[in-house]
Amino acid sequence: MLPEEIRGEISRARAALARAAVLGAWALLYLPLAWWWWPAAPLAATMVVVSARRLRAASDTYATLLEASVRLHLADLADKLRIEEQPMGPLLGGAVMRRLSSPAPAAEPAS
């Protein structure tokens, strides 16, 4: 129910977060190679530092966008779900989550 522009921003922020995590994974894969080929060690160290900085920036951006989207559009979602008028806050968030979550499946008796 979010506008296309906001969904696009969130998708781009999530993609940046994924790219930073992939860079960190590549850095970890280069570490064992340093045992046989010494230039892999400074390369891996550089990739770890760059990945950590990108992860921090991307996660901050992603979290900020998600929080802002929820704060701006939670009331609209509650209206669409026909949840009674409540002030913005934990009560409204809890009511929306209860409406959107599926009930836990009932445990089948052991036979």
Side-chain angles (χ1 to χ4, degrees):
M1 78 151 260
L2 289 174
E4 183 64 36
E5 181 179 332
I6 295 172
R7 285 188 306 210
E9 287 291 323
I10 291 172
S11 294
R12 284 188 289 279
R14 178 147 167 73
L17 187 60
R19 285 191 307 271
V22 167
L23 182 62
W26 275 107
L28 292 177
L29 289 173
Y30 272 107
L31 282 177
L33 182 61
W35 181 260
W36 294 284
W37 187 56
W38 72 267
L43 177 64
T46 302
M47 289 173 72
V48 164
V49 170
V50 170
S51 172
R53 288 185 180 177
R54 287 184 184 177
L55 271 170
R56 182 176 294 238
S59 63
D60 183 49
T61 301
Y62 186 60
T64 302
L65 284 172
L66 287 178
E67 182 181 3
S69 298
V70 168
R71 287 180 185 261
L72 289 173
H73 297 284
L74 182 63
D76 296 337
L77 179 59
D79 287 342
K80 288 190 186 262
L81 293 173
R82 295 186 184 102
I83 295 175
E84 63 213 32
E85 188 76 24
Q86 293 181 5
M88 180 69 86
L91 292 176
L92 181 59
V96 169
M97 287 303 297
R98 281 189 297 280
R99 180 70 57 91
L100 292 176
S101 63
S102 60
E108 296 182 17
S111 45

